[in-house]
């Protein structure tokens, strides 16, 4: 056994400060002073007193006296269904209002690919949001990085599927898409946030950004089905832009929520 | 016991670590908490508070602040106890909440002394009783690490969490946790070696 093997055991094995080491690790420690010193230091907790204080004992009594049964959160699948249902409803409403002109303009490959990409991104975000409602959940991707991963992936798909075309009225047509997509994103964000409030959101900014992006994707999906402008620059800037603006809006909403909770807690503590 | 091979290790210090109940007991205790069993909150508090207190102490200097954060953690746990899913491990759930309380507490209190930057040498420790061991204690050792690495090492070694549980508590992945732990151990080795070289140079 060498130093690297010992470190792997120490990291990957469930070794706390009181666990005995395996025999091969003991043998290595007899010959390697560097590892011996490190292991000794990490297995020597300080001599500080860590017994619960009197205040904590009192808190335990107070909590016990003011205890009511609570209903645990519904299964994760139900919340995933809720997010998916809200997403689908907003898209259906938008398509009903705006029509499906883009589906006629796109080829079958383009329409199936872009819609599948949007659905996959939506599912990924919805799944992450469900896990973000419960502290200590397992995450496939770190929530703080997920919005960026989704936006970059979607942009790559769009870049592969569509080509640059000359546009006469880039800004005019773009603003029209924003006027259609952003209200839908806002309409989706509100029920998303109401569902999320049932859980315990530990990082309002990250959760807000993810929820905002999911809401923005609903707006983007409607635009992809409705808007017959297949220019790559138009889609990247204005359609995907709705999602980006949704993420930024959600991030701002999360930051505001965090500030409000902090101020409320401060008022509760200070007389 | 492996510690018998190392005369410098003070087993009395090891004994001072509060025994933690098996995870399954704690999981069931949390379920009873949700069902309003009046003994459940106290059981959880006494079982997990020593490790949580050490977790806070490893990140901030003041015992008083650590006590305050611990209280706030249990109050927050009480408020969001409905979010614990029966059948899931409760320890990463508790640590995820504790970690958030620590971050909120740090942002709120500007006077909290935080070890924000890694240092190239072990910090000078205030005068302590002379110990039989020449190895710096745990808190001194990990104080030299960046915050994220210090958090991972404390959860692994003091909290007794597995890699998977640390990943859950930090909203991260097992791979990222392994990487942080590996970097932390490398840095600690380097620091201990530099300390040993300084000590031998001083003796000469």
């Amino acid at each position: 056994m060498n130093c690297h093997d010992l470190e792997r055991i120490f990291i990957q094995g469930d070794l706390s400060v009181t666990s005995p080491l395996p025999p091969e690790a003991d043998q290595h420690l007899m010959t390697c002073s560097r590892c011996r010193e490190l292991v000794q230091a990490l297995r020597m907790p300080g001599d500080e007193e860590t017994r619960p204080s009197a205040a904590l004992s009192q808190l335990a009594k107070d909590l016990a006296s003011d205890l009511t049964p609570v209903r645990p959160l519904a299964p994760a699948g139900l919340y995933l269904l809720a997010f998916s249902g809200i997403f689908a409803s907003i898209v259906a409403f938008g398509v009903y209002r705006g029509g499906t002109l883009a589906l006629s303009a796109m080829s079958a490959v383009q329409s199936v690919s872009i819609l599948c990409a949007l659905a996959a991104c939506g599912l990924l975000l919805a799944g992450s949001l469900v896990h973000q409602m419960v502290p200590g959940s397992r995450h496939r991707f770190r929530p703080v990085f997920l919005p960026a991963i989704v936006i970059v992936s979607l942009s790559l798909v769009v870049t592969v599927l569509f080509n640059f075309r000359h546009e006469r009225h880039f800004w005019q047509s773009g603003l029209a898409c924003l006027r259609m997509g952003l209200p839908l994103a806002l309409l989706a964000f509100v029920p998303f946030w109401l569902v999320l409030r049932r859980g315990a959101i530990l990082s309002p900014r990250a959760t807000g950004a993810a929820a905002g992006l999911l809401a923005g994707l609903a707006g983007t999906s409607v635009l992809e089905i409705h808007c017959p402008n297949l220019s790559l620059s138009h889609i990247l800037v204005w359609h995907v832009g709705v999602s980006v603006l949704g993420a930024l809006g959600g991030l701002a909403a999360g930051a505001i929520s965090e500030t409000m909770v902090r101020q409320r807690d401060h008022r509760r503590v200070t007389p | 016991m492996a510690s018998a091979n190392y005369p410098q290790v003070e087993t009395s210090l090891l004994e001072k670590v509060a025994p933690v109940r098996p995870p399954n007991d704690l999981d069931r205790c949390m379920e009873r908490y949700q069902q309003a069993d009046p003994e459940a909150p106290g059981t959880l508090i006494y079982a997990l508070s020593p490790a949580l207190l050490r977790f806070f102490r490893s990140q901030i200097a003041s015992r008083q602040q650590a006590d305050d954060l611990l209280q706030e953690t249990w109050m927050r746990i009480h408020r969001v106890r409905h979010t614990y899913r029966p059948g899931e491990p409760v320890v990463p759930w508790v640590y995820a909440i504790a970690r958030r309380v620590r971050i909120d507490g740090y942002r709120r209190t500007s006077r909290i002394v935080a070890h924000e930057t890694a240092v190239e040498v072990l910090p000078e420790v205030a005068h302590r009783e002379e110990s039989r061991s020449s190895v710096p204690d745990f808190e001194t050792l990990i104080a030299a690490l960046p915050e994220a690495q210090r958090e991972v090492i404390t959860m692994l070694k003091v909290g007794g969490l597995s890699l998977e549980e640390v990943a859950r508590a930090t909203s991260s992945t097992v791979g990222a946790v392994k990487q942080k732990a590996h970097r932390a151990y490398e840095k600690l080795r380097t620091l201990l070696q530099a300390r040993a070289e300084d000590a031998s140079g001083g003796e000469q």
Side-chain angles (χ1 to χ4, degrees), chain A residues 65-117:
Chain A
S65 66
D66 184 33
L67 205 52
T68 53
V70 293
R71 193 179 68 214
L73 282 182
L78 208 61
Y79 286 105
L80 188 63
L81 206 60
F83 285 123
S84 304
I86 294 168
F87 186 93
S89 301
I90 299 296
V91 171
F93 173 71
V95 168
Y96 172 74
R97 292 290 302 271
T100 59
L101 293 171
L103 293 182
S104 316
M106 285 190 285
S107 67
V109 170
Q110 284 175 325
S111 51
V112 168
S113 301
I114 193 63
L115 292 179
C116 283

Side-chain angles (χ1 to χ4, degrees), chain A residues 45 82 112 143 186 189 203 237 270:
Chain A
V112 168
L186 190 62
F189 184 78
S203 179
V237 172
T270 54

Side-chain angles (χ1 to χ4, degrees), chain B residues 26-109:
Chain B
L26 293 175
D27 297 348
R28 281 194 283 271
C29 193
M30 187 64 215
E31 289 177 37
R32 294 202 313 273
Y33 191 172
Q34 289 180 321
Q35 292 156 9
D37 180 346
E39 288 183 8
T43 306
L44 275 173
I45 287 173
Y46 289 122
L48 293 173
S49 288
L52 285 174
L53 195 59
R54 171 143 279 129
F55 169 70
F56 290 130
R57 286 288 282 126
S58 73
Q59 307 291 324
I60 55 175
S62 159
R63 169 67 196 246
Q64 178 60 44
Q65 288 164 343
D67 279 339
D68 291 344
L69 289 181
L70 185 59
Q71 289 240 352
E72 194 174 329
T73 298
W74 285 113
M75 285 168 61
R76 200 176 287 199
I77 284 172
H78 182 73
R79 277 203 303 273
V80 300
R81 62 191 188 279
H82 66 284
T83 65
Y84 168 71
R85 284 220 165 89
E88 294 285 327
V90 71
V91 171
W93 181 83
V94 168
Y95 269 88
I97 295 171
R99 184 172 173 267
R100 187 66 208 181
V101 167
R102 180 189 67 76
I103 292 170
D104 290 344
Y106 171 72
R107 285 176 183 170
R108 184 176 61 234
T109 313

Side-chain angles (χ1 to χ4, degrees), chain B residues 118-137:
Chain B
V119 296
E120 295 307 314
V121 297
L122 288 169
E124 289 297 323
V125 181
H127 176 72
R128 292 178 185 233
E129 289 181 19
E130 192 171 320
S131 166
R132 279 180 280 148
S133 171
S134 63
V135 178
D137 65 17

Side-chain angles (χ1 to χ4, degrees), chain A residues 87-231:
Chain A
F87 186 93
S89 301
I90 299 296
V91 171
F93 173 71
V95 168
Y96 172 74
R97 292 290 302 271
T100 59
L101 293 171
L103 293 182
S104 316
M106 285 190 285
S107 67
V109 170
Q110 284 175 325
S111 51
V112 168
S113 301
I114 193 63
L115 292 179
C116 283
L118 286 165
C121 290
L123 266 177
L124 199 61
L125 282 167
S128 176
L129 284 173
V130 169
H131 287 132
Q132 288 182 51
M133 290 172 67
V134 178
S137 292
R138 196 181 280 137
H139 289 279
R140 207 179 295 274
F141 298 100
R142 289 194 65 178
V144 72
F145 295 140
L146 188 61
I149 293 171
V150 166
I151 289 172
V152 167
S153 304
L154 189 60
S155 301
L156 283 173
V157 168
V158 166
T159 306
V160 165
L161 288 174
F162 301 98
N163 301 312
F164 280 106
R165 293 179 189 182
H166 174 67
E167 275 188 87
R168 263 193 189 177
H169 307 289
F170 178 76
W171 292 100
Q172 199 175 352
S173 59
L175 289 173
C177 283
L178 278 191
R179 275 198 296 274
M180 182 176 190
L182 284 179
L184 290 170
L186 190 62
L187 197 62
F189 184 78
V190 172
F192 285 154
W193 195 252
L194 291 175
V195 172
L196 285 168
R197 278 167 56 97
R198 173 78 182 124
I201 301 172
L202 295 184
S203 179
R205 293 180 204 191
T207 305
L213 180 56
L214 184 61
L217 279 180
T220 300
S221 301
V222 171
L223 291 174
E224 283 303 304
I225 294 172
H226 160 73
C227 176
N229 188 337
L230 302 185
S231 165

Side-chain angles (χ1 to χ4, degrees), chain A residues 229-250:
Chain A
N229 188 337
L230 302 185
S231 165
L232 175 59
S233 54
H234 177 88
I235 295 174
L236 268 182
V237 172
W238 303 113
H239 294 190
V240 177
V242 166
S243 295
V244 172
L245 289 172
L248 292 174

